Amino acid sequence: MSTSTYGRPRPQLSGTDPTDVVALWAEARTLYLAEDFPPYGSPPWLALHPDDPKRFAAVIGAAEKWRKYGDEEGLIRWFREATAVREPLANRRTRAELDEAWRGVRERAADMWARERARITPNPRWPKVAIPGQENRT
């Protein structure tokens, strides 16, 4: 066996009949597992004959990468976001500051809902509804 461009042993392949789909699949799979094929869409891939199993092995490799890692642009966006420069921890809010901000949000929300409840007047035609915790009021 000779060595592939990637340093792995190159499988010995016989001349495959281009109409024998099973043989082409087996040969392409062998090349895929040996990683002896150019990257999909690269100039060496484009130079391959359409019936060359290396061409199909590259398609299998690209499909596997898509299945594992998803869209290339999406992956690049994720890497950029993951490696983006972030504000130093020392400059960020403390837990006490965040808790205080949350208390303010809760108080404003409670005030808003109290105003909403006061604004709503029951219609006399509405059925009586028992209010939990207030058994004497309906």
Side-chain angles (χ1 to χ4, degrees):
M1 271 189 176
S2 62
T3 306
S4 73
T5 53
Y6 301 102
R8 294 192 178 186
R10 181 182 310 218
Q12 294 298 322
L13 302 171
S14 60
T16 306
D17 178 11
T19 60
D20 187 355
V21 178
V22 175
L24 283 172
W25 171 260
E27 194 168 341
R29 188 166 186 269
T30 304
L31 289 166
Y32 170 72
L33 294 173
E35 296 182 8
D36 186 30
F37 55 89
Y40 175 77
S42 66
W45 182 83
L46 293 171
L48 292 173
H49 188 273
D51 293 333
D52 192 332
K54 289 182 183 182
R55 195 171 171 102
F56 187 58
V59 171
I60 296 170
E64 272 301 292
K65 287 177 185 167
W66 180 275
R67 182 185 68 80
K68 287 181 183 176
Y69 309 115
D71 179 19
E72 184 177 358
E73 286 82 24
L75 187 60
I76 289 171
R77 263 193 319 275
W78 181 85
F79 278 128
R80 284 189 181 136
E81 183 181 314
T83 58
V85 177
R86 307 221 187 283
E87 183 180 3
L89 285 175
N91 295 350
R92 296 182 194 174
R93 289 179 171 187
T94 64
R95 175 68 189 257
E97 291 171 328
L98 291 171
D99 288 343
E100 182 59 35
W102 178 242
R103 269 192 292 280
V105 167
R106 283 192 356 231
E107 288 170 5
R108 285 191 301 279
D111 291 345
M112 179 192 72
W113 285 113
R115 285 191 306 276
E116 279 295 310
R117 280 192 301 275
R119 198 172 62 100
I120 296 173
T121 55
N123 187 316
R125 293 182 297 186
W126 287 356
K128 298 292 183 185
V129 177
I131 302 170
Q134 300 179 11
E135 285 74 23
N136 297 335
R137 284 183 57 192
T138 54

